[in-house]
């Protein structure tokens, strides 16, 4: 009896092993590399002068940086920080273009050169969701539109790209959440097409460290009927239709450009904004009061512009998350509003180089995290002794 049971059990065990083994074979077969994909990848490897990729085995789905789907099509090509350099400095567009099932392309932090303009790969990668070519040596202008309607994230930052962002660029980007072209030499207007009806998924927009110029309202402002409402002076009137298409935006970084003009009055309609970084431009006119309704605001940087107005009109009491405020080098006047002291998480206040009447109130002591306070080059501080006595109580203050 026992022996028989033992035999039955070993048989079952062997059968079980066989099952695992054979399913493994099926599994391997499923992932076996499609031969045309293999040759496209080998062609790609040939265009690289360095390094030598160990792309030799039969199944290209096991190669470094490669992931395939069940049918053996390459879906991920991820070779960031691999020291990739090109022979002849031509972007390997034709071999990439043949990888038509790619969803993720990450070649960031390499030394890839060449131009993206007219390259086939931008036209043929219709499944692409993630495109990261940041920190390379790409030059030239942008193609006329993004590669695929499935695109979710585009990072072309820290290259040598120039020219404008074409008006048609975002046309089909239904699911785009993040777009970063920081640290290039782009110029021209901020494309108003970011307010395209399809852009409501956008969360992060980074145009910083470029040469974008012209009026900020000719780009962003066109998102809404801001100019019209400005003319009618109807601050709360005609709610813009299009700016609400960016309702999920949390990061708007336009800093270090050459943008001019007046800020859109209804900017604060983008109520999810956390980071508004507009410093180092040529912006003028008033501070949009609507921003005081952006309860999620963490960082507000508008320094080094020509903005003006009475700062005491601003009511900060709803900005309970605010951590950094930078209004330096503008033409603000008036007294710092007491409501600022209700922003409990404030770490840095930078209002130097304005025309403020600086008064230090004892309430500043409620800012327990305050470590940076820059007030210089304003109207003379009244009662400096008293001010110093109060500031001695700010335990974290490191820079004054
Ligand atoms: C290249 O990859 C194969 C497996 O695909 C491995 O056996 C071999 O050791 C690798 N060679 C080098 C030089 O890394
Ligand atoms: C890309 O595919 C086309 C058509 O299938 C083929 O003629 C061409 O040689 C391929 N190019 C590369 C680089 O694999
Ligand atoms: C690309 O790869 C780098 C390095 O692994 C990573 O930091 C970055 O987040 C990746 N990009 C995307 C868009 O996932
Ligand atoms: C956008 O994303 C949603 C949800 O992830 C998905 O169902 C839809 O197919 C995507 N649309 C496109 C055009 O990729
Ligand atoms: C954009 O890319 C730069 C690096 O080139 C990075 O410092 C920055 O944080 C990125 N912006 C966003 C919003 O992720
Ligand atoms: C800007 O891009 C250059 C390469 O084009 C890079 O060396 C530099 O670190 C980048 N700067 C930032 C702040 O990311
Ligand atoms: C906006 O964000 C919300 C919450 O994350 C999400 O449910 C919604 O789908 C987003 N809208 C678009 C158009 O992506
Ligand atoms: C923006 O800059 C470009 C090139 O630097 C220049 O041709 C154009 O006139 C500028 N536009 C405005 C509105 O200043
Ligand atoms: C702020 O929001 C309140 C409540 O939604 C609204 O009544 C008010 O007009 C808004 N203020 C500005 C300046 O947009
Ligand atoms: C600021 O707004 C709050 C409500 O958010 C209100 O209670 C307070 O009186 C306002 N302060 C000033 C000075 O208008
Ligand atoms: C969600 C949303 O607000 N969609 C609007 C986007 O913009 C178009 C006009 O440009 C409006 O018709 C949509 O209602």
């Amino acid at each position: 009896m026992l022996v028989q049971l033992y035999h039955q059990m070993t048989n079952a065990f062997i059968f079980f092993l066989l099952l695992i083994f054979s399913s493994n074979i099926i599994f391997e077969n499923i992932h076996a590399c499609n031969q045309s994909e293999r040759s496209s990848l080998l062609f790609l490897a040939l265009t690289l002068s360095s390094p030598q990729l160990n792309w030799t085995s039969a199944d290209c789905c096991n190669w470094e940086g490669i992931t395939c789907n069940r049918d053996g099509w390459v879906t991920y090509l991820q070779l960031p920080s691999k020291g990739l350099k090109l022979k002849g400095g031509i972007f390997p567009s034709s071999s990439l273009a043949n990888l038509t099932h790619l969803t993720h392309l990450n070649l960031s932090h390499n030394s890839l050169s060449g131009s993206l303009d007219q390259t086939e790969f931008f036209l043929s990668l219709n499944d692409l969701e993630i495109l990261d070519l940041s920190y390379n040596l790409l030059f030239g202008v942008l193609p006329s539109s993004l590669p695929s309607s499935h695109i979710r994230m585009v990072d072309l930052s820290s290259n040598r790209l120039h020219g404008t962002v074409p008006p048609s660029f975002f046309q089909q980007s239904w699911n785009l959440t993040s777009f970063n072209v920081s640290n290039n030499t782009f110029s021209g207007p901020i494309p108003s097409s970011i307010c395209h009806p399809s852009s409501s998924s956008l969360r992060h927009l980074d145009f910083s460290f470029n040469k974008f110029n012209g009026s900020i309202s000719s780009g962003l402002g066109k998102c809404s009927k801001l100019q019209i409402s400005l003319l009618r002076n109807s601050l709360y009137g005609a709610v813009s239709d299009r700016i609400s298409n960016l309702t999920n935006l949390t990061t708007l970084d336009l800093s270090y450009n050459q943008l001019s003009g007046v800020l859109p009055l209804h900017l604060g309609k983008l109520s999810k904004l956390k980071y508004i970084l507009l410093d180092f431009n040529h912006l003028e006119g008033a501070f949009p009061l609507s921003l005081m309704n952006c309860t999620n605001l963490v960082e507000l940087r508008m320094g080094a512009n020509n903005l003006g107005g009475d700062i005491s009109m601003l009511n900060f009491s709803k900005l309970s998350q605010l951590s950094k405020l930078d209004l330096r080098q503008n033409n603000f006047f008036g007294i710092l509003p007491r409501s600022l002291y209700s922003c409990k998480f404030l770490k840095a206040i930078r209002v130097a180089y304005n025309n403020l009447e600086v008064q230090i109130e004892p309430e500043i002591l409620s800012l327990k995290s305050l470590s940076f306070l820059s007030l210089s080059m304003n109207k003379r501080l009244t009662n400096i002794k008293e001010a110093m006595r109060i500031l001695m109580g700010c335990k974290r203050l490191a820079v004054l």
Side-chain angles (χ1 to χ4, degrees):
M1 267 293 277
L2 262 178
V3 173
Q4 224 173 17
L5 187 65
Y6 176 76
H7 273 289
Q8 270 174 11
M9 277 175 71
T10 34
N11 280 346
F13 186 59
I14 288 170
F15 179 70
F16 184 55
L17 273 184
L18 271 174
L19 199 71
I20 291 179
F21 189 62
S22 57
S23 70
N24 221 5
I25 289 173
I26 292 164
F27 189 74
E28 293 274 336
N29 276 342
I30 284 172
H31 283 77
C33 166
N34 183 308
Q35 282 313 296
S36 67
E37 301 280 90
R38 190 174 193 273
S39 65
S40 297
L41 288 172
L42 285 175
F43 199 86
L44 174 69
L46 279 179
T47 64
L48 300 173
S49 65
S50 69
Q52 295 282 307
L53 292 167
N54 185 9
W55 281 0
T56 45
S57 61
D59 188 358
C60 73
C61 296
N62 290 327
W63 291 354
E64 180 184 12
I66 305 297
T67 307
C68 297
N69 65 9
R70 294 167 144 269
D71 303 321
W73 297 101
V74 175
T75 51
Y76 286 48
L77 175 54
Q78 294 179 302
L79 295 168
S81 307
K82 287 287 182 290
L84 302 184
K85 281 204 180 92
L86 295 169
K87 284 179 189 153
I90 314 263
F91 195 77
S93 54
S94 64
S95 40
L96 281 173
N98 277 8
L99 300 168
T100 50
H101 290 71
L102 268 190
T103 60
H104 290 61
L105 179 60
N106 188 344
L107 301 174
S108 66
H109 292 271
N110 283 297
S111 303
L112 300 176
S113 47
S115 164
L116 298 176
D117 186 27
Q118 311 293 331
T119 60
E120 300 109 302
F121 100 93
F122 243 67
L123 299 174
S124 57
L125 298 187
N126 295 322
D127 289 340
L128 205 60
E129 294 173 20
I130 308 288
L131 175 63
D132 189 348
L133 299 174
S134 62
Y135 291 95
N136 276 290
L137 305 170
L138 301 172
F139 53 81
V141 301
L142 289 179
S144 61
S145 73
L146 280 165
S148 114
S149 59
H150 304 291
I151 198 88
R152 289 190 280 125
M153 181 183 259
V154 175
D155 193 347
L156 300 173
S157 66
S158 295
N159 277 288
R160 296 165 183 181
L161 299 163
H162 74 270
T164 61
V165 177
S168 51
F169 204 62
F170 300 99
Q171 220 154 49
Q172 290 191 310
S173 48
W174 309 104
N175 280 352
L176 188 63
T177 60
S178 173
F179 183 72
N180 192 344
V181 289
S182 172
N183 193 19
N184 282 283
T185 48
F186 287 111
S187 58
I190 297 296
S192 57
S193 54
I194 54 169
C195 316
H196 188 270
S198 68
S199 302
S200 43
S201 53
L202 267 171
R203 299 223 166 107
H204 308 287
L205 269 180
D206 193 341
F207 289 87
S208 63
F209 294 94
N210 278 288
K211 293 183 173 167
F212 284 106
N213 63 348
S215 167
I216 191 167
S217 32
S218 74
L220 263 191
K222 266 194 191 148
C223 295
S224 59
K225 293 179 175 153
L226 302 167
Q227 293 307 328
I228 297 167
S229 63
L230 200 68
L231 284 173
R232 289 191 192 142
N233 197 20
S234 59
L235 197 63
Y236 308 121
V239 175
S240 53
D241 19 320
R242 282 214 261 161
I243 205 160
S244 56
N245 278 323
L246 283 172
T247 41
N248 272 352
L249 202 63
T250 61
T251 307
L252 177 62
D253 192 349
L254 305 176
S255 62
Y256 294 89
N257 278 293
Q258 295 161 14
L259 296 166
S260 54
V262 179
L263 282 168
L265 228 57
H266 292 305
L267 198 55
K269 285 277 165 205
L270 308 180
S271 59
K272 292 193 182 160
L273 277 171
K274 286 184 178 167
Y275 300 91
I276 303 181
L277 315 177
L278 304 172
D279 44 334
F280 292 90
N281 278 289
H282 310 304
L283 302 172
E284 56 194 25
F287 182 103
L289 291 177
S290 63
L291 285 180
M292 292 302 158
N293 266 350
C294 291
T295 51
N296 297 307
L297 220 51
V298 173
E299 223 171 288
L300 179 58
R301 291 193 343 223
M302 296 187 163
N305 281 291
N306 296 316
L307 299 166
D310 184 353
I311 202 170
S312 61
M313 298 299 285
L314 305 180
N315 187 344
F316 287 87
S317 61
K318 287 186 189 165
L319 307 187
S320 57
Q321 308 296 313
L322 195 65
S323 163
K324 289 183 186 166
L325 175 69
D326 182 358
L327 301 175
R328 81 185 123 148
Q329 288 182 55
N330 279 292
N331 306 313
F332 291 108
F333 57 88
I335 303 172
L336 273 189
R338 279 215 163 92
S339 56
L340 192 60
Y341 304 136
S342 66
C343 307
K344 290 200 180 58
F345 300 120
L346 258 179
K347 283 188 192 140
I349 303 175
R350 205 168 204 156
V351 292
Y353 294 90
N354 279 289
N355 287 310
L356 305 177
E357 285 164 50
V358 178
Q359 279 181 8
I360 303 291
E361 317 271 358
E363 287 100 319
I364 200 168
L365 295 176
S366 61
L367 303 179
K368 300 264 186 279
S369 315
L370 191 67
S371 62
F372 189 104
L373 179 62
S374 153
L375 305 166
S376 62
M377 305 309 276
N378 278 294
K379 289 193 179 160
R380 215 164 66 88
L381 191 63
T382 46
N383 202 351
I384 195 157
K385 265 191 182 165
E386 175 65 2
M388 289 314 287
R389 196 189 59 79
I390 294 170
L391 286 174
M392 293 304 268
C394 289
K395 297 275 184 286
R396 294 263 175 102
L397 200 60
V399 180
L400 177 62

